[in-house]
Amino acid sequence: MTQLSVPEGMLRISWYLPETECLGPGKRFAIWVQGCRQRCEGCIAQRLQDTEGGVLVPVAKLTDAVLQTSGLEGLSISGGEPFLQSEGLALLLRTIRTHRPSLGVIVYTGYTYEMLQADSAAQALLAQTDLLIDGQYRPELDDGNAMRGSSNQRLLYLTERYRNVQMPQYRSSELRFADGFMRLVGIPSGAAREALTLFTNGGSL
């Protein structure tokens, strides 16, 4: 896959959230990268598809933000498509883990693990990933699982870090308002999707 053209030492992201409990076990630092070429039907993050959108952020700035956040279990990286910026994200994670090696890493991707294994650029990020959630979102297969959007997506334990950890059993999501945008955090349930659609169309919750 063709990587995004991003200056060395930078990442193109949509935004980040220092603390959430909606994207895995425990308190997590969440990063949404910018740019995706998958165009999945029913994507809840269409604004993040634009490969020229978002903002360029130094890896060092994100590193500092993570290290300054106490009580973290780990990081969750979504998007957008993380594997379009494999090297930058791998640099971020390697740097963080030199200071806090205990942090776990969960990465969401629209590619399958087999596709990533065959791509040399993906290897650096795979090497830093404890739990990979792979595959395109397919709305007709949305089964309500707390950690994935549809049943074709897999939870792949690339290390032993999360293999015996109890994952969330129910979907949870939250709305965050910042910088003039309303952002959805987490994998929404059917009711949450309906409420969000109503709200964005001018209705009341």
Side-chain angles (χ1 to χ4, degrees):
M1 68 199 69
T2 304
Q3 298 284 293
L4 293 190
S5 179
V6 177
E8 186 175 355
M10 306 284 282
L11 284 166
R12 184 176 293 279
I13 72 168
S14 174
W15 69 303
Y16 66 86
L17 183 62
E19 299 180 29
T20 183
E21 296 186 5
C22 292
L23 289 168
K27 186 169 74 173
R28 314 194 66 77
F29 191 105
I31 300 172
W32 288 265
V33 296
Q34 181 72 31
C36 182
R37 303 187 181 105
Q38 301 271 356
R39 302 298 189 269
C40 297
E41 179 186 353
C43 175
I44 63 170
Q46 292 186 21
R47 189 170 58 84
L48 277 63
Q49 294 176 357
D50 182 4
T51 56
E52 298 296 325
V55 293
L56 289 171
V57 177
V59 168
K61 179 179 178 179
L62 282 175
T63 300
D64 289 344
V66 173
L67 296 179
Q68 290 170 11
T69 305
S70 62
L72 291 175
E73 194 288 330
L75 293 85
S76 292
I77 301 174
S78 186
E81 173 51 60
F83 282 91
L84 296 184
Q85 300 184 69
S86 294
E87 292 185 1
L89 287 170
L91 172 61
L92 171 72
L93 296 171
R94 286 195 304 268
T95 306
I96 289 170
R97 279 173 157 170
T98 61
H99 300 280
R100 292 172 67 176
S102 64
L103 293 181
V105 175
I106 298 174
V107 178
Y108 287 83
T109 177
Y111 295 104
T112 65
Y113 180 51
E114 291 76 15
M115 294 171 67
L116 296 173
Q117 284 183 305
D119 187 89
S120 59
Q123 301 308 309
L125 180 52
L126 284 175
Q128 296 296 323
T129 302
D130 295 301
L131 173 59
L132 183 75
I133 301 171
D134 78 337
Q136 292 188 344
Y137 173 67
R138 294 176 59 183
E140 72 275 13
L141 297 179
D142 191 333
D143 61 358
N145 185 284
M147 288 293 293
R148 65 186 183 198
S150 53
S151 61
N152 61 296
Q153 297 172 322
R154 300 173 295 179
L155 276 66
L156 300 172
Y157 300 93
L158 304 189
T159 73
E160 295 301 307
R161 172 60 185 265
Y162 290 115
R163 190 176 297 278
N164 297 310
V165 172
Q166 180 67 50
M167 290 293 158
Q169 298 299 298
Y170 303 98
R171 288 187 181 180
S172 62
S173 54
E174 57 186 1
L175 293 177
R176 296 292 184 107
F177 297 84
D179 304 323
F181 291 102
M182 178 181 68
R183 296 182 169 99
L184 178 69
V185 180
I187 301 173
S189 64
R193 279 180 176 268
E194 291 176 7
L196 182 62
T197 299
L198 176 64
F199 183 83
T200 54
N201 287 337
S204 58
L205 297 178

